[in-house]
Amino acid sequence: MKFFNSIILSGLLSAINVNAETTTTTNNSCSFSRTTISASTGIQQLNSCPTLDGTISITGNDISVIDLTAIRQLNADLTIYNSSTINVVLVNQIENITGLLEFNNLTQLTTVELTSIKDAQNLEFVSLPNFANLNLNNEVLKAGRIILSNTALSNLNGLALFDTIEYMNINNNKNMSQLNFESLKNVSDSLILSFNHNQAQVNLNALNWASNLTIQDVVDFSATNLTSVNGSLQISYNTFETLNLSSLTSIGSSLQVFAHDDLTEVDFGSLTSVGGELSFFNNSQLSNMLNTFKSLQRVDGAVSISGDITNLSMPALQRIRGDFQLNSTSEDFDCEEFNQYHEDGDIEGNNYICSYAVYSSIETDGSTSTNTGSSETTSSDGNRASGVEKSMIPNIAVVVVGIMFGVLML
Ligand SMILES: *[C@@H]1O[C@H](CO)[C@@H](O)[C@H](O)[C@H]1NC(C)=O
Ligand SMILES: *[C@@H]1O[C@H](CO)[C@@H](O)[C@H](O)[C@H]1NC(C)=O
Ligand SMILES: *[C@@H]1O[C@H](CO)[C@@H](O)[C@H](O)[C@H]1NC(C)=O
Ligand SMILES: *[C@@H]1O[C@H](CO)[C@@H](O)[C@H](O)[C@H]1NC(C)=O
Ligand SMILES: *[C@@H]1O[C@H](CO)[C@@H](O)[C@H](O)[C@H]1NC(C)=O
Ligand SMILES: *[C@@H]1O[C@H](CO)[C@@H](O)[C@H](O)[C@H]1NC(C)=O
Ligand SMILES: *[C@@H]1O[C@H](CO)[C@@H](O)[C@H](O)[C@H]1NC(C)=O
Ligand SMILES: *[C@@H]1O[C@H](CO)[C@@H](O)[C@H](O)[C@H]1NC(C)=O
Ligand SMILES: *[C@@H]1O[C@H](CO)[C@@H](O)[C@H](O)[C@H]1NC(C)=O
Ligand SMILES: *[C@@H]1O[C@H](CO)[C@@H](O)[C@H](O)[C@H]1NC(C)=O
Ligand SMILES: *[C@@H]1O[C@H](CO)[C@@H](O)[C@H](O)[C@H]1NC(C)=O
Ligand SMILES: *[C@@H]1O[C@H](CO)[C@@H](O)[C@H](O)[C@H]1NC(C)=O
């Protein structure tokens, strides 16, 4: 049933040439229920409403400039999508977005002006390959959820000024090389910075507390004041050599560090607890982890670490509640410390593996092959403990099998 109750609206529905199911208006506020606009006359009519409510879409190839400069308050969900002609969107008087403002799949969009915005609940800019100019008020005070994905933006300008954000996902903006959030202190849901410019630099030095943090494909990352991650921390596919989060004391859920080819040094020197799993893999140059976890006392999930690790120590360890798997491809790795923790019952999970490479020289031709020294126990399928020996070679001079602990306790 179509329903509208106002004289101000006469003419509006005819200009909006697609389905406006319910439209109401009071003096200066218009409310739309699932309204789609695809002609510029419809835009002009929208622009006669200082406040917009409801659900409004603008799409199609008959519009180039969207001028909504008379609108002051956006309570509606306004989505502008699927157009190869829209190139400029002007919303210069909007101060407050309590709904959603979304731009999606607009191949010719170059410019959005949001120069009065102070408070934006939900802003999305997605698949806008030519979108390079976002003119924002540089006093944006507050933001809820912000997504910037696959745009041509080269900086964050006003979007990096907040001291608190709820959710921000900035990914695949290949021209964006500086992601500096110099005032950001608190991320109450998630901050995801992934696969932007391949020389992207991230500065989160004011950040103190984050729920979830994901950093991918950056060349430089610092978060010197970060003390607490309440959810998960994921660091992957980056090209820096040092990861220093030496102020971080606790991670509520998981810690994952993987897929790095340049990383040689990792400092989680103040980290005392990880509430979920702790996982390190595919970090091809990371071998010395002697001082990485100086203060780590407790891991509530599983520990799973693999790589060419020569040394790793957890001198403060009190308890690992989950499984423990440490596979080193280095022959220099010594499992002694962890075997001892396991023997003492400090590693509680059913599956315990600590393995390292053993190089066995064959004296006749000088070639080498790799064996594995290992300590492994499982109790899930009955008591089992084994030294793992792969590829036995006849006449090998040395085969070292890692010492087995723990089976007597099970
Ligand atoms: C709109 O009109 C209603 C009554 O019709 C009034 O109560 C309200 O204050 C008006 N709003 C504004 C912003 O003028
Ligand atoms: C945009 O166009 C594509 C392809 O025509 C379609 O699948 C998609 O649903 C459209 N998006 C929206 C929001 O309608
Ligand atoms: C993007 O919009 C165009 C129309 O401009 C449409 O043809 C295309 O299918 C859309 N692509 C997606 C992924 O929705
Ligand atoms: C925006 O609107 C919301 C809801 O009405 C209000 O709580 C908030 O204070 C407003 N923000 C600004 C900057 O006016
Ligand atoms: C984005 O980067 C590409 C090459 O990396 C460059 O050709 C293009 O001009 C840049 N666009 C903007 C808006 O800076
Ligand atoms: C950050 O925000 C969360 C959620 O609102 C809050 O629980 C936490 O105490 C805040 N942390 C700081 C350091 O302000
Ligand atoms: C880091 O925290 C200290 C102490 O709270 C503060 O003085 C300093 O300004 C913070 N650094 C940044 C970059 O905000
Ligand atoms: C912190 O994490 C815990 C456990 O995951 C959750 O219950 C709590 O709500 C989180 N706190 C905030 C402020 O997000
Ligand atoms: C963010 O972390 C909180 C705990 O602080 C968790 O409950 C929530 O599911 C996480 N969100 C995402 C998207 O990972
Ligand atoms: C990490 O940063 C802290 C504080 O700046 C510093 O003391 C420490 O030596 C750094 N760790 C590494 C491995 O560089
Ligand atoms: C880790 O490395 C292996 C072997 O190179 C590869 O197959 C796998 O995809 C990598 N995993 C990730 C998450 O990069
Ligand atoms: C360690 O090696 C064992 C045996 O080859 C394998 O089952 C396990 O998945 C490996 N764990 C890690 C973390 O690489």
Side-chain angles (χ1 to χ4, degrees):
M1 185 180 87
K2 299 204 176 199
F3 161 71
F4 45 96
N5 67 353
S6 160
I7 294 164
I8 300 174
L9 257 193
S10 59
L12 178 54
L13 288 182
S14 58
I16 296 173
N17 55 2
V18 193
N19 51 325
E21 290 189 357
T22 306
T23 306
T24 57
T25 184
T26 54
N27 29 31
N28 61 4
S29 164
C30 309
S31 181
F32 298 86
S33 169
R34 284 188 281 146
T35 299
T36 301
I37 293 171
S38 55
S40 41
T41 42
I43 307 283
Q44 284 158 25
Q45 296 296 335
L46 279 187
N47 203 28
S48 66
C49 308
T51 298
L52 291 182
D53 280 287
T55 307
I56 304 161
S57 302
I58 302 177
T59 188
N61 293 336
D62 294 324
I63 299 170
S64 55
V65 175
I66 297 181
D67 182 344
L68 297 175
T69 42
I71 294 172
R72 290 167 174 279
Q73 169 95 20
L74 186 63
N75 300 331
D77 288 351
L78 174 59
T79 303
I80 303 172
Y81 71 96
N82 281 11
S83 166
S84 57
T85 54
I86 293 170
N87 54 33
V88 174
V89 176
L90 305 172
V91 274
N92 283 322
Q93 287 215 74
I94 293 186
E95 289 186 4
N96 197 343
I97 298 175
T98 63
L100 162 72
L101 180 58
E102 177 184 354
F103 301 83
N104 197 326
N105 184 28
L106 306 169
T107 50
Q108 295 308 312
L109 183 72
T110 61
T111 303
V112 173
E113 296 208 347
L114 255 173
T115 51
S116 301
I117 190 77
K118 288 191 177 139
D119 187 345
Q121 184 48 45
N122 204 338
L123 272 180
E124 296 188 16
F125 299 89
V126 177
S127 294
L128 311 171
N130 287 301
F131 176 46
N133 308 307
L134 173 60
N135 298 325
L136 278 179
N137 178 5
N138 55 16
E139 287 169 42
V140 189
L141 300 173
K142 223 163 143 265
R145 189 179 169 84
I146 294 185
I147 299 175
L148 280 186
S149 173
N150 193 6
T151 73
L153 291 172
S154 55
N155 65 70
L156 287 162
N157 57 44
L159 292 179
L161 301 168
F162 315 105
D163 58 6
T164 298
I165 57 177
E166 227 170 272
Y167 177 95
M168 191 179 286
N169 185 339
I170 300 181
N171 72 80
N172 292 288
N173 304 288
K174 296 299 182 189
N175 289 56
M176 198 175 294
S177 57
Q178 297 294 321
L179 295 125
N180 294 326
F181 294 84
E182 281 166 19
S183 315
L184 184 62
K185 293 195 171 71
N186 197 327
V187 173
S188 65
D189 184 329
S190 302
L191 177 62
I192 299 162
L193 305 175
S194 298
F195 302 104
N196 295 297
H197 194 287
N198 63 9
Q199 297 292 312
Q201 302 187 315
V202 171
N203 175 341
L204 300 176
N205 285 337
L207 185 62
N208 196 245
W209 195 99
S211 194
N212 308 288
L213 187 59
T214 299
I215 305 291
Q216 297 182 305
D217 192 17
V218 311
V219 69
D220 193 46
F221 168 53
S222 64
T224 48
N225 268 7
L226 182 61
T227 59
S228 179
V229 172
N230 195 57
S232 296
L233 176 61
Q234 194 208 99
I235 312 278
S236 56
Y237 302 100
N238 299 289
T239 49
F240 45 69
E241 291 171 12
T242 300
L243 172 62
N244 191 341
L245 290 173
S246 62
S247 299
L248 183 59
T249 60
S250 71
I251 297 174
S253 187
S254 65
L255 166 61
Q256 296 180 302
V257 176
F258 60 89
H260 298 102
D261 287 331
D262 303 290
L263 189 63
T264 55
E265 200 168 29
V266 179
D267 190 342
F268 281 104
S270 304
L271 185 64
T272 59
S273 67
V274 176
E277 69 162 341
L278 186 166
S279 151
F280 273 65
F281 62 97
N282 285 15
N283 303 301
S284 58
Q285 301 299 311
L286 183 60
S287 61
N288 183 354
M289 297 180 73
L290 191 61
N291 297 314
T292 298
F293 296 114
K294 278 191 298 224
S295 311
L296 188 61
Q297 296 174 0
R298 217 188 69 230
V299 179
D300 290 332
V303 170
S304 145
I305 297 175
S306 61
D308 194 29
I309 316 282
T310 54
N311 43 35
L312 167 68
S313 179
M314 298 183 183
L317 192 68
Q318 292 170 0
R319 182 128 305 159
I320 292 173
R321 302 198 76 130
D323 293 346
F324 183 95
Q325 298 193 339
L326 195 158
N327 296 343
S328 172
T329 56
S330 166
E331 61 180 332
D332 296 331
F333 192 76
D334 185 349
C335 286
E336 174 62 26
E337 179 181 327
F338 295 100
N339 288 344
Q340 190 66 50
Y341 282 132
H342 182 231
E343 187 185 17
D344 294 345
D346 299 328
I347 298 176
E348 297 180 344
N350 285 338
N351 298 301
Y352 173 79
I353 298 174
C354 180
S355 74
Y356 52 93
V358 175
Y359 292 94
S360 313
S361 54
I362 296 169
E363 284 164 15
T364 49
D365 63 1
S367 67
T368 60
S369 73
T370 306
N371 251 325
T372 313
S374 169
S375 301
E376 174 178 1
T377 62
T378 59
S379 58
S380 49
D381 58 347
N383 294 348
R384 186 168 73 88
S386 64
V388 176
E389 295 172 31
K390 292 172 185 150
S391 61
M392 289 293 287
I393 294 165
N395 302 323
I396 293 174
V398 206
V399 174
V400 180
V401 177
I403 309 154
M404 293 169 275
F405 283 111
V407 63
L408 297 176
M409 308 167 35
L410 298 170

